[in-house]
Amino acid sequence: MMDGYRPCGRRLKCPICDRFRTTGNVNTWCLISNDGLSAICPRIPCNPDDHDVGRVGEAGWLHDLSSEQQRAVAEIRLTPEPKPRTIDAPAIMGRMQAEIDEQWTERYADSLGLCRTALERLGIGRAFNGDAAFPMRDGYGITVGIRLRKITGQKYAVTGSRSGLFYAGRPKDISGQVYITEGPTDTAACGVLGLTAVGRPSCSGGAGKLADLFRESGPVERIVVADRDGPGRDGARMIARALGRCKIITPPSPFKDMRDWVQGGATRRIVEYAAQNSRVVAA
């Protein structure tokens, strides 16, 4: 976290995109300055025509707040939010993995249009309320948090989780062409095609852990997969620039993300052809 800033929360939504951050809501990592005079939002650029204006690296864009916004945040910012508690993520994830069987995993895979083995390779489990659970791991293979997913697609996390990556196997076994997707189900969709993939926690998150992972892995060619919307494309460019020497591909219309593309008939050859014909983005 940047000095002088704190995360937006349920009591203090981001004054730029009107969203809030809670543990596990990894789509919105908005920050507000302690004095209420500025905000950093990863979703909305300062200038839609020039995304370099006001950008502060992976964190997002630095926005000056109007006096009206300053008064609004000043009413709440003096009351500190409670510190999040930490959890034993590996132990909890282990118990959730013990709750599944092949029939449950098969039904859940069918609901996503994926195959059971692709989800099992990511270490899927079942939360105690019946929702699917996926381990979030750091770049060294350690489980640091747990992403939960309702059958409706709503995503959240076990309280106390740290944000992390979604991938199968050990970091040192990752090599060759690696697709950097968004979330566990897009990562599993690559697995259906036999592609090696690592899922980032959000459209623009996880660059630090990805850098750690690729230091531990074998030589890789990195292809960032962007969701086909504004935040998805912007986030993919931020990740590519942060890592350096990456390619970016986007599913063609009308497919919104990798899982949608695979459900729509994408084959390994089609995806690899898209990667082959994409240019490299430098740091």
Side-chain angles (χ1 to χ4, degrees):
M1 188 181 302
M2 299 182 65
D3 291 340
Y5 286 81
R6 59 176 251 197
C8 296
R10 291 187 180 274
R11 297 177 56 257
L12 178 55
K13 290 187 178 182
C14 174
I16 307 302
C17 69
D18 198 37
R19 292 172 180 259
F20 57 83
R21 169 186 174 182
T22 58
T23 302
N25 187 353
V26 292
N27 289 324
T28 52
W29 294 95
C30 304
L31 302 173
I32 189 83
S33 64
N34 293 332
D35 59 12
L37 299 178
S38 61
I40 298 174
C41 178
R43 299 188 66 85
I44 298 179
C46 298
N47 185 340
D49 299 322
D50 186 351
H51 287 189
D52 288 331
V53 173
R55 186 161 59 194
V56 283
E58 184 184 343
W61 290 272
L62 178 64
H63 295 259
D64 289 329
L65 301 181
S66 68
S67 58
E68 181 180 350
Q69 289 171 322
Q70 291 168 23
R71 287 194 298 270
V73 301
E75 296 178 1
I76 347 184
R77 67 179 177 84
L78 296 178
T79 305
E81 294 186 5
K83 293 183 178 180
R85 62 186 177 91
T86 57
I87 58 171
D88 186 349
I92 296 173
M93 192 66 233
R95 292 196 293 270
M96 290 181 174
Q97 288 165 338
E99 290 293 314
I100 65 170
D101 53 46
E102 288 188 3
Q103 290 75 23
W104 180 88
T105 311
E106 195 76 54
R107 288 194 301 271
Y108 189 74
D110 287 344
S111 73
L112 297 173
L114 301 173
C115 68
R116 172 174 57 84
T117 54
L119 297 176
E120 289 175 338
R121 291 189 72 239
L122 291 179
I124 189 173
R126 182 170 57 179
F128 309 118
N129 62 0
D131 293 340
F134 295 92
M136 292 189 284
R137 305 164 68 191
D138 65 14
Y140 306 100
I142 299 171
T143 298
V144 295
I146 301 167
R147 167 75 62 85
L148 302 177
R149 189 181 190 278
K150 293 183 177 295
I151 196 68
T152 58
Q154 180 183 349
K155 307 169 188 67
Y156 62 112
V158 173
T159 302
S161 291
R162 290 165 53 200
S163 179
L165 308 174
F166 306 96
Y167 58 93
R170 300 174 299 177
K172 68 178 183 179
D173 296 329
I174 294 174
S175 62
Q177 197 173 60
V178 178
Y179 291 81
I180 303 171
T181 61
E182 182 179 339
T185 59
D186 278 10
T187 307
C190 283
V192 171
L193 302 183
L195 300 169
T196 300
V198 176
R200 57 196 192 274
S202 64
C203 62
S204 60
K209 289 184 175 64
L210 285 166
D212 291 339
L213 176 68
F214 293 134
R215 280 194 293 269
E216 295 293 306
S217 71
V220 297
E221 178 189 5
R222 298 172 292 207
I223 299 100
V224 182
V225 183
D227 282 4
R228 201 173 54 83
D229 58 16
R233 288 190 174 99
D234 291 342
R237 283 193 290 266
M238 292 173 68
I239 290 293
R241 288 172 178 168
L243 293 176
R245 303 295 301 172
C246 293
K247 291 182 175 181
I248 298 177
I249 63 171
T250 306
S253 179
F255 308 115
K256 61 184 179 65
D257 56 25
M258 177 58 80
R259 180 166 65 93
D260 198 29
W261 195 10
V262 171
Q263 288 176 331
T267 63
R268 176 170 182 158
R269 184 175 180 180
I270 289 172
V271 175
E272 289 180 334
Y273 181 81
Q276 179 183 346
N277 289 277
S278 298
R279 64 182 181 87
V280 173
V281 177

